[in-house]
Amino acid sequence: MRTLAWTVGSLLVIAALFLAIRGTDFSTWQSANPMDIIGVAALVGLNLIITGLLFWWATLSFDTKPRVSIGRMVGLISASALLNYLPLRVGLFGRAIYLKTHHQLPVFQSGVILFGVLYVSGMVLGAIAVLPLIAPRELWWPTGIAGMIALALLNIWLLPRLLRRPIRGAAWWIVLKLIDALVGGARLWLILAMMGHTMAYADALALGAAGMFISMLGLTPNGLGLREWFIAAMATVLPIDPMQAMSAALIDRAIEVPVIAISGLISLRVLRAKKQSAQL
């Protein structure tokens, strides 16, 4: 099934690329600043760091011995992001086995942590993505801020009951995921600006949240193909041409893949070196 999902995702990317090339005006790229590409790459790296921080914070409420350091968790997330591009869920299971081997974290608790992070991510990303559908444009920011505060307060009460244990700083799960979404939105906003399409950051944030949400579901490896099409579909309710949005999503993927590859390979090497030194 994972091999089939990888194949379908690849075909969806090829189809999206074909349509984007036919429907995109590349003349606007003449004024693009190459430094913007570096900026998008830096934002991809920042997303990896924030995701690592979120998982690290989540482990504080579970039975890790010794505690997982922030650097090690960021490394595990970077390695997982790379390995999850493979047809099998190597990254997901590899992270759980690593934490069991080196930090005595039961594999079941790794599953609970993953469930909790996915639950929080779904709440935050889903709320941002549906905001353009339920609120007038002039009320997006106040409605969004009020909604995030409400979700944070709800999480304080709900998350310990959902995960069946005391949760340290449950509201911070919402805050960290919100920051992650804001960075993801900035990536698309910057890419669209490179393409000569000026749009409100709130619109790019909604597009980015929609893409992150579909990637989170894991129907294809890292949302391969589905993210690009879902962003194009989301653009139909926003003031942007769907083909422009799809092109931006493809460019985002093209920048994301080498960043994940480099950070993932470095992380795998560092984690392996630490494992070998621990065995000496």
Side-chain angles (χ1 to χ4, degrees), residues 96-160:
I97 293 170
Y98 187 95
L99 291 172
K100 169 63 177 176
T101 303
H102 297 280
H103 296 276
Q104 309 306 312
L105 180 69
V107 173
F108 174 77
Q109 290 191 22
S110 284
V112 173
I113 291 171
L114 178 63
F115 170 78
V117 171
L118 291 178
Y119 149 76
V120 167
S121 299
M123 290 179 67
V124 173
L125 298 174
I128 295 173
V130 302
L131 191 58
L133 304 177
I134 63 175
R137 175 174 290 271
E138 61 272 14
L139 296 179
W140 281 8
W141 284 112
T143 303
I145 293 171
M148 288 303 117
I149 293 174
L151 287 179
L153 295 175
L154 175 64
N155 227 33
I156 294 174
W157 175 82
L158 183 59
L159 198 58

Side-chain angles (χ1 to χ4, degrees), residues 266-279:
I266 292 174
S267 297
L268 286 169
R269 185 175 181 85
V270 171
L271 290 169
R272 182 180 179 184
K274 288 183 177 180
K275 176 183 176 181
Q276 290 175 340
S277 64
Q279 293 174 342

Side-chain angles (χ1 to χ4, degrees), residues 78-99:
S78 298
S80 296
L82 172 60
L83 295 175
N84 282 340
Y85 266 113
L86 299 176
L88 301 176
R89 291 187 179 272
V90 182
L92 173 63
F93 294 119
R95 186 171 68 243
I97 293 170
Y98 187 95
L99 291 172

